[in-house]
Each structure stands twice: as C-alpha cells, then as structure tokens.
Amino acid sequence: MRSPLGTPRPCPCGLLQTYHTCCGRFHAGESAAPTAELLMRSRFSAFAVGDGAYLLQTWHPSTRPQHLDLDPEQRWTELEILGRTGGRMLEVEGIVEFRAHYRAHGRPGTLWERSRFVREGGCWLYLDAIPR
C-alpha cells in the first residue's frame, strides 16, 4: 500500500509503522499475528484494504461464513483498542474490546465490539463477538 507519490503509507490499524512492516506482513502470509490484539488490528486493516480472503482465513471454522461481501462504499478510517483480556503469545484465549470508525455512503459510523479469539495450531483466530 503506497501513496500516490510512492511513499509508504501508515498502517490502517493505528500503530506507528508502515502497512508493509505491520499488518501487511500478516496479510501476505509472511507470519501469523502473535497476539489476539495484533490479529484484531490486522483484521481491521484487512477491512480497510479490502482483503476479504485474509478475513475468512483468520475466522474460526465454527463461526466463519461461507463467503464475505465487503461493501466498496464503506471506508474503515480508525481503530481504537479499548481493552484486552488474555490473548498473549502463550495463551489460548483472548478478548479484545475495540471501537472501529468508518464512513459509509457519505456518513460516519462506529462499530463497538468485544471480540473473542482462540489460538489453534499456533495461530490466533477470530471466534465471535460477545453480546452486550
């Protein structure tokens, strides 16, 4: 992901790295996200760059939809991590609470979610959202 002038763009996830050195490496399959929070950030970035294949790949098989249709009119603009429980490198479960901002059809919006993640076979997977 480069700007029109060829300079690297910051990662959509909000960390102070370029897309290629941050979430882009996970999207490219160079490595797996080592924590639930980094998987959450990489999934947000996948929504931002339109990488539906990565979203499906990192979705737990028990809750994964058969296909995913991303709205081309929806632009994910900012991610705020509000909290996390577990989800570290040697754990097998984690919860990440976040607020994701977007613009859809010219209007701003916000998605709040507490997402559950599990680690299987050394890889973190998105399981589901915890109801309010």
Side-chain angles (χ1 to χ4, degrees):
M1 175 183 260
R2 291 191 174 270
S3 70
L5 298 177
T7 58
R9 289 188 181 171
C11 193
C13 81
L15 293 178
L16 299 177
Q17 299 176 35
T18 66
Y19 169 74
H20 288 293
T21 61
C22 193
C23 294
R25 64 193 165 116
F26 303 135
H27 297 172
E30 295 171 16
S31 63
T35 66
E37 180 183 337
L38 286 176
L39 180 62
M40 175 61 241
R41 288 179 177 280
S42 71
R43 287 177 56 81
F44 174 85
S45 291
F47 276 105
V49 301
D51 190 344
Y54 180 80
L55 292 165
L56 290 171
Q57 171 191 339
T58 57
W59 208 315
H60 194 273
S62 68
T63 57
R64 178 188 319 148
Q66 287 188 337
H67 55 78
L68 185 63
D69 296 318
L70 300 177
D71 182 351
E73 296 296 318
Q74 191 166 21
R75 301 283 180 233
W76 295 94
T77 59
E78 180 186 358
L79 175 66
E80 296 175 79
I81 300 296
L82 304 174
R84 66 195 70 66
T85 304
R88 291 183 289 272
M89 290 173 62
L90 300 177
E91 297 178 300
V92 295
E93 295 179 351
I95 295 172
V96 179
E97 181 179 1
F98 67 92
R99 192 169 25 237
H101 301 272
Y102 62 89
R103 290 194 66 79
H105 309 281
R107 295 188 173 161
T110 303
L111 168 71
W112 172 90
E113 186 173 302
R114 289 183 68 218
S115 296
R116 288 193 310 161
F117 296 88
V118 294
R119 192 166 64 124
E120 293 184 356
C123 294
W124 284 101
L125 298 168
Y126 169 76
L127 184 60
D128 59 13
I130 299 171
R132 283 188 179 208

